[in-house]
């Protein structure tokens, strides 16, 4: 089920050109020529259109990291980040679930993120809620 | 093969207490009580000790996102980031490969990262290198 107004579906369909790094039965990886954080920034996505990671097919989820691993190994990367954003608030701008492989060649290149930890947070309530929700899903 | 000096192996072995959110045959997810970016920040890791994503067992890679999906669904998350850091330069501080699930409840909570794109970069050479390396690995 592809969407003609979706950038990544258009790559899947061949309607939009992108430099393909890898393609398997389920997954495509393309150079991020549009908005790279660093040289070699690659975007991986399932051919099947979904919005978020939690909408993704289990088989697509099972395959995508193995594909990313293969490419990271081919690139002989030692320092890199894998980032996946869900929802506008979290920075998702292309609404077809995808993963970024971002080489970190130096301090000034690649992903830069804040290290402001919030140790005062109390996870007690959310921990309880997740445990109960997982138990319901399992039963 | 567990390492007694590794924080996450000590959780696997039961030598260090952590609030377990989920445990499967291969994967554990624990509340990030030590260095949370937001409420409900969870860290997922394979029981088998490895340094980086590219050292991870394919079966661990295949399972970990399915486990993360299950938890994200249980939490009914709409906005969240999944982040995985490899190497000191990329921000890895615990040297047992792991994935962060970071809820983004509001602009001021959760993962904050720079959006400075480097459109002047030329990916031509690295694209060629990766293509050649992947072809060698496949042959």
């Amino acid at each position: 089920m592809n969407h003609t107004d979706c950038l990544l579906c258009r790559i899947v369909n061949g309607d939009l050109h992108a430099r393909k790094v890898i393609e398997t039965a389920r997954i495509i990886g393309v150079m991020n020529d549009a908005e790279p954080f660093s040289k070699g920034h690659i975007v991986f996505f399932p051919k099947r259109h979904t919005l978020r990671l939690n909408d993704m097919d289990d088989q697509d989820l099972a395959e995508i990291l193995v594909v990313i691993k293969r490419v990271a190994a081919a690139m002989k990367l030692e320092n890199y980040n894998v980032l996946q954003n869900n929802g506008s608030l979290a920075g998702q701008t292309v609404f077809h679930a995808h993963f970024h492989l971002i080489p970190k060649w130096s301090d000034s290149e690649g992903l830069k993120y804040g290290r402001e930890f919030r140790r005062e947070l109390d996870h007690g309530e959310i921990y309880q809620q997740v445990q109960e929700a997982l138990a319901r899903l399992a039963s």
Side-chain angles (χ1 to χ4, degrees), chain A:
Chain A
M1 194 176 59
N2 284 347
H3 296 213
T4 52
D5 57 350
C6 167
L7 195 74
L8 300 186
C9 286
R10 290 177 62 208
I11 293 175
V12 174
N13 295 339
D15 294 336
L16 184 70
H17 175 73
R19 289 203 275 197
K20 268 185 204 167
V21 176
I22 196 163
E23 178 167 2
T24 67
R26 298 180 158 272
I27 307 296
I28 291 179
V30 299
M31 294 304 303
N32 185 347
D33 285 309
E35 297 188 331
F37 283 142
S38 63
K39 193 175 280 197
H41 180 164
I42 298 169
V43 173
F44 297 81
F45 51 96
K47 293 182 182 176
R48 180 175 166 273
H49 181 89
T50 59
L51 179 51
R52 294 184 178 85
L53 186 153
N54 55 285
D55 305 313
M56 277 177 67
D57 188 277
D58 280 359
Q59 289 191 57
D60 289 343
L61 287 169
E63 191 164 307
I64 202 161
L65 288 182
V66 178
V67 172
I68 292 174
K69 167 187 171 174
R70 203 190 304 171
V71 174
M75 295 173 84
K76 295 188 169 54
L77 294 181
E78 293 193 357
N79 294 283
Y80 60 101
N81 302 96
V82 175
L83 176 65
Q84 197 274 333
N85 307 319
N86 301 279
S88 302
L89 195 56
Q92 186 174 13
T93 53
V94 173
F95 296 98
H96 177 132
H98 57 280
F99 287 70
H100 298 269
L101 170 62
I102 311 168
K104 186 80 181 171
W105 305 112
S106 74
D107 224 27
S108 63
E109 297 167 283
L111 185 68
K112 295 173 198 166
Y113 62 96
R115 303 303 182 92
E116 197 190 309
F117 302 119
R118 301 194 50 210
R119 295 195 178 84
E120 81 289 2
L121 286 174
D122 177 6
H123 301 278
E125 193 183 343
I126 200 163
Y127 178 64
Q128 196 62 35
Q129 285 167 357
V130 180
Q131 293 294 90
E132 287 169 11
L134 285 169
R136 275 198 303 276
L137 292 174
S139 66

